[in-house]
Each structure stands twice: as structure tokens, then as C-alpha cells.
Amino acid sequence: MQRMKSKILYILFLVMAATLTACQDNDSFTTSPNNLLTFSTEEVRMDTTFSTVPTVTKTFWVYNRSGSGLTGINVRLKNGNQTGFRVNVDGIYLSKEQGFQVNDIEVRDKDSIRVFVELTPTMNGQDVPVKVEDEILFTLQSGVQQKMPLLGWSWDAELWRDVEINEDRTIASTKPIVIYGGMTVNEGATLTLGAGTTLYFHQDASLHVYGTLLSQGTAEKNVVLRGDRIDHMFDYLPYDLVPGQWMGVYFGEKSYHNELNYTDIHSTYDGVVCDSDNVEIPKLTIANSVIHNCQGYGLATYSSQVDITNTQITNTLYDCLFVAGGMVTLKYCTLAQFYPFDANRGAAIRFTNMLEGEKYPLTKLDVRNSIITGYVDDVLMRDSQEGVTENFLFDHCLIRTPKVEGDERMKDIIYEDVENREIGSEHNFKRIDIDSLRYDFRLAKESQAIHAGVPMSGITTDRLGVVRPETPSLGAYEYVATKEEEEEKKTE
């Protein structure tokens, strides 16, 4: 037994000796100015953030590949608390109490440390984003100083929480307005949004209207309702292009005479929902507007009187337009269902007169000079119950749906050729890019919608203010040839 113990002790001695020898080999440190740190990036660049709102955390690695250990390193945030940057070095926060620095950092040869950076900028007093800069300084024992530039942009915004509109009010601001918790327009009050106003809604926030909403944008200065993330999910993908960033606009039962003029609503859950108990009173007028990239419905109407002109409703998980009864008219609209995140996406238009066992009489669905298209062979869905009022008309429209014969409610329809798999509905538009999530629903030169409409009284321009010719195009956008296309015509 004693011999066994001696053998074990001898083995442990050899292991410890080998370990100490290895440590000694690896623990050779240097103060030579030729031995430097290397970094995983040349600069830390933050996305634009609203003033006083923290950014996401960025990180980078600090490597020692110099051949010898480096010790006694001082790491300091150059401007301290003057710029709003916060830094953590290898688990140590550079706090005010420490003078925004840490001493005696050690990085062994072929080892590394990790640095974390955040930015919460102060108000800058400007109407545009302002550059925010700082540096992390790494001072080695040799006296050599290495720098990591920090760069961001700060944008002053008005931060509002749980907003209640109880009397008539106009919001017209050149600064962004960020809404936390939501905004409610109560019964008897009218909220007017002036041209150029942008409301940024936090993820759980919505706009509930029980009074009246008048969104009065112009062709040059749209009103924009969007999410509050102004940073990027990936380098190529801003959060603003991702659906579900906020909760959308809801018009309550007693809310009437609402207007959305030149209004851009995008990257929400449900874009707009209209609930009503009196279809005889105008609920909502939408003109020259966009509802795009929704994780629910684009526009859902229930027993409502809604009039829509020169408007784009596109890319929704559920239906772009869902009509449950009521009176709905569309003139010069583009409804395109190219939602990229789920193959089980809804229709471009779905209409019904019965929902969950209740009657929703469809007094009128009148669709003229419009485009109704998407990925699948049939994007026009009719879920109707016999014996319940159902009046609909599609007149001078381009529709991706099986051809209907002998139905006077389908008048002068251009049916897309679903048999030709080489040419999909995407060819109608300037850009359908599912990889980068960039879309441009203006008409491409190949579209059958060009000059396929008929003039309509009182509508002389498209959504962008382009004059409609004597023979107008279908959809929200009039066809405008590019310079290259014009030159191509001349050579034909």
C-alpha cells in the first residue's frame, strides 16, 4: 500500500512539473513596442438610435498574436461619459468610479479578451441624425497606444407613452415621435396628422381610434406610421423591412369619417382593421396610400363603408384585403400578395357575407381599374353563403384567378396566364426581391396592366402624383418609362 501511494505521488509530481514548465513557457511577457494587439474589426459602428434610447450591444475581440504575453495594459474610454458610449472589457465595466478605465489587463500569447459596447446618446438639439464618436484606447506597457474608433448616430425624438387624445388635436412634427404603450383617440375627439409627420410605434404599441383620425399627407410628404426599430437585423436588412414591428391601426365600432391620405403604414401586425355597427355611415376613406408588409391582415373590414383609391396593399401573412360584408369600393388599387415568410399566406382579396355563423350582408364590393395578383394561381377568394346579400363587381381589372365565363360581375377582366410558369406575376412590377426584401410595385414595361383601364371621374393622377393619360393603366401607379426604355423605343 505504501509503495502504491509513493507511485501515485511520483506521478502527480511529474504532472505538476510538466504543467509548471508549460506555464512558464507560455507566461513569457514582453514590453517590446513591436508586440501589439490585433482586433476583430477596424471600428465599432452602431446603427442610428433615438437620443436617450440605448442601442443593441456590439462586441469585438482583442487578440494577442504577437508571440509573447502582454500585461499591464490600460484600457480607457477616451471621452468618458461625454458621448454616451458604455464599455465592458473582459467582464469589467468602465464606470465613472474607475475613471472610465481599467488597469493591468493581461492577454497571454495566442489568447484573447472580449469587449462589449453600447450607446445611449444624449439629446443633440438637431432635427437630423448627428454623428457620435469616441475611442477606446489600449495603452501597452511599452507605451504604445492602440485605438478602437466608436461611431454612431443620434436622432432627437419626442418620446410619448400611453397617449390619450380626448379633444381635437393636430400633430405636425419634423422630429420623429416614438410611441410606447399605444395611442388612443377617444370618442368625440379628432386627431389630425400633418404632412411629413412620422409616428414610430414600439413593438407592443398600436393606434386605437374611437373618435376620428384625419391623416393628411401629401405626395411630397407622406404621413408615415411604422415601428420604432431604426437599426438592422442583419447588415443588409433593416428592422423596418421586417413585419410585426408594431400592432397597427384599429377603428372602433363608433368611429366614422376617418381619412388616410398619402399615408404609409408598414411592417406592422394588422395594418388597418375597421369594425362597425352602421354600414350607412362612411367609415374610412383611403387615398394615395400604402399598407405593406404585415404579419396579419393588410386591411380587414367588418360591416363597414370603406372607399379606397390609388392605394397599394401588399405582402401580408393573412389576406391583403379582407371584406366581411358592408360597402367597399376600390379604384386604381394594387393588391399584390408576395409575402415571403410563409407559403401558407392569404389571398390578395377575400370577401364573404358570413363569418363564424353570423351574417355580414355584402351590400357592395366594387373593384375597378385595379390589379389583384400574387404568387399562387388564385388570389381572389369568395367565401359566401347563399341567401345572404352579396353584390360584387370587378370591372377592368388584371386578376390572377381562373377565368370565369358568363358572369356579368366579372367585366373586362385580364386573366393572368397561370399556365406559363416561366412568367410569374412578378413581371408586372419594377422589383420583387425576396432576398433583400425590397419591393417596388410601380409597373414594369412587360405588364399587361399598362393602358388597360378606363378614365374615372375625379381621378386624374396616380399615387405618386403622375398624371393619368386618356387611357390609364391599372393599379395604384401609372406606367412611366425609364430613360433606357425610352431610348429602346426610339431604336425599334
Side-chain angles (χ1 to χ4, degrees):
M1 178 63 72
Q2 185 65 34
R3 184 179 295 176
M4 178 65 71
K5 289 182 178 179
S6 299
K7 186 179 288 188
I8 292 172
L9 289 172
Y10 178 70
I11 292 171
L12 288 173
F13 173 77
L14 291 176
V15 171
M16 290 175 64
T19 302
L20 288 171
T21 302
C23 287
Q24 287 174 352
D25 290 340
N26 290 334
D27 283 349
S28 60
F29 292 92
T30 183
T31 58
S32 169
N34 297 320
N35 293 72
L36 301 174
L37 299 168
T38 56
F39 304 104
S40 61
T41 183
E42 293 182 355
E43 67 176 5
V44 178
R45 182 182 292 266
M46 318 298 286
D47 288 314
T48 302
T49 186
F50 294 121
S51 303
T52 74
V53 176
T55 64
V56 297
T57 301
K58 293 292 184 75
T59 183
F60 66 95
W61 290 93
V62 181
Y63 302 106
N64 181 4
R65 295 166 176 164
S66 70
S68 296
L70 296 171
T71 190
I73 303 169
N74 171 272
V75 184
R76 178 169 63 91
L77 181 60
K78 181 179 180 181
N79 293 310
N81 62 354
Q82 300 303 303
T83 58
F85 283 102
R86 299 186 303 282
V87 178
N88 183 297
V89 179
D90 201 29
I92 302 172
Y93 175 55
L94 306 191
S95 65
K96 181 179 180 180
E97 292 72 24
Q98 294 179 285
F100 302 100
Q101 62 184 314
V102 61
N103 294 304
D104 298 324
I105 291 291
E106 179 181 287
V107 188
R108 298 171 185 269
D109 184 37
K110 297 182 177 61
D111 203 352
S112 62
I113 60 173
R114 198 174 187 184
V115 180
F116 299 86
V117 182
E118 294 178 347
L119 171 63
T120 303
T122 58
M123 301 293 285
N124 57 60
Q126 303 294 318
D127 289 339
V128 296
V130 173
K131 185 183 290 187
V132 182
E133 296 180 283
D134 209 333
E135 292 177 330
I136 303 175
L137 305 179
F138 295 80
T139 305
L140 311 184
Q141 267 192 330
S142 64
V144 173
Q145 190 174 82
Q146 295 179 260
K147 301 176 181 180
M148 174 57 66
L150 308 180
L151 178 63
W153 283 265
S154 168
W155 195 6
D156 280 3
E158 299 180 37
L159 307 182
W160 297 358
R161 185 176 296 276
D162 299 322
V163 182
E164 296 276 340
I165 307 296
N166 296 309
E167 58 186 19
D168 293 356
R169 181 175 177 181
T170 297
I171 299 174
S173 177
T174 56
K175 286 186 177 180
I177 298 170
V178 183
I179 308 295
Y180 293 93
M183 173 180 279
T184 302
V185 183
N186 288 315
E187 193 169 347
T190 296
L191 172 62
T192 301
L193 300 178
T197 299
T198 299
L199 301 183
Y200 295 80
F201 290 84
H202 198 58
Q203 188 170 18
D204 60 349
S206 58
L207 174 55
H208 276 65
V209 183
Y210 301 102
T212 301
L213 174 67
L214 302 178
S215 180
Q216 305 290 15
T218 64
E220 296 75 24
K221 295 182 178 180
N222 279 202
V223 170
V224 180
L225 308 180
R226 52 157 291 175
D228 70 340
R229 294 293 297 267
I230 55 176
D231 52 336
H232 284 67
M233 177 179 283
F234 306 111
D235 288 343
Y236 74 93
L237 182 61
Y239 274 100
D240 193 40
L241 300 184
V242 179
Q245 295 301 302
W246 61 293
M247 299 307 292
V249 183
Y250 171 78
F251 294 100
E253 290 183 355
K254 303 295 184 181
S255 174
Y256 296 105
H257 303 293
N258 299 285
E259 297 178 7
L260 297 175
N261 296 309
Y262 288 104
T263 301
D264 180 350
I265 299 172
H266 64 267
S267 297
T268 178
Y269 187 74
D270 290 325
V272 177
V273 176
C274 294
D275 202 355
S276 178
D277 66 351
N278 189 344
V279 75
E280 300 301 322
I281 305 176
K283 182 78 173 182
L284 174 63
T285 299
I286 306 177
N288 307 299
S289 295
V290 170
I291 302 172
H292 175 68
N293 199 26
C294 304
Q295 201 175 349
Y297 290 103
L299 170 61
T301 72
Y302 301 88
S303 291
S304 298
Q305 186 182 144
V306 178
D307 184 82
I308 313 167
T309 304
N310 276 346
T311 290
Q312 170 194 322
I313 308 177
T314 47
N315 291 22
T316 63
L317 176 57
Y318 302 151
D319 307 315
C320 294
L321 173 62
F322 175 71
V323 178
M327 300 173 62
V328 178
T329 61
L330 292 91
K331 302 179 286 290
Y332 291 112
C333 289
T334 297
L335 294 99
Q337 180 55 293
F338 295 105
Y339 188 76
F341 301 103
D342 195 326
N344 194 31
R345 63 187 76 82
I349 294 183
R350 185 186 304 273
F351 61 97
T352 185
N353 58 18
M354 181 74 71
L355 188 63
E356 296 179 352
E358 291 189 30
K359 295 180 180 180
Y360 283 77
L362 187 64
T363 307
K364 178 183 181 182
L365 174 61
D366 197 334
V367 184
R368 300 174 186 267
N369 279 5
S370 294
I371 299 173
I372 304 158
T373 190
Y375 279 131
V376 299
D377 291 350
D378 192 357
V379 297
L380 178 61
M381 294 293 161
R382 172 188 171 197
D383 304 327
S384 300
Q385 180 72 35
E386 290 186 9
V388 183
T389 304
E390 181 194 50
N391 296 311
F392 68 87
L393 173 67
F394 292 83
D395 182 8
H396 284 84
C397 294
L398 171 66
I399 308 179
R400 191 171 183 86
T401 192
K403 189 172 184 178
V404 177
E405 301 285 359
D407 191 336
E408 294 182 354
R409 296 173 296 186
M410 305 292 288
K411 181 181 177 183
D412 292 313
I413 303 299
I414 300 172
Y415 292 95
E416 284 194 329
D417 182 6
V418 299
E419 300 299 327
N420 188 347
R421 296 299 175 182
E422 293 183 3
I423 302 178
S425 296
E426 299 97 320
H427 81 283
N428 284 299
F429 307 109
K430 292 281 189 184
R431 187 180 187 187
I432 304 292
D433 186 345
I434 63 173
D435 293 326
S436 67
L437 301 183
R438 267 69 172 184
Y439 299 86
D440 185 345
F441 288 97
R442 291 176 298 166
L443 293 177
K445 65 178 182 178
E446 298 84 5
S447 178
Q448 292 176 280
I450 297 173
H451 303 316
V454 290
M456 301 193 74
S457 177
I459 306 174
T460 58
T461 59
D462 73 354
R463 196 192 96 73
L464 298 176
V466 176
V467 174
R468 297 274 188 186
E470 185 176 340
T471 306
S473 300
L474 307 179
Y477 305 99
E478 191 57 51
Y479 171 69
V480 178
T482 63
K483 290 182 179 178
E484 292 77 10
E485 290 167 354
E486 291 286 359
E487 292 298 322
E488 199 175 291
K489 282 184 182 179
K490 292 178 183 178
T491 59
E492 289 178 354

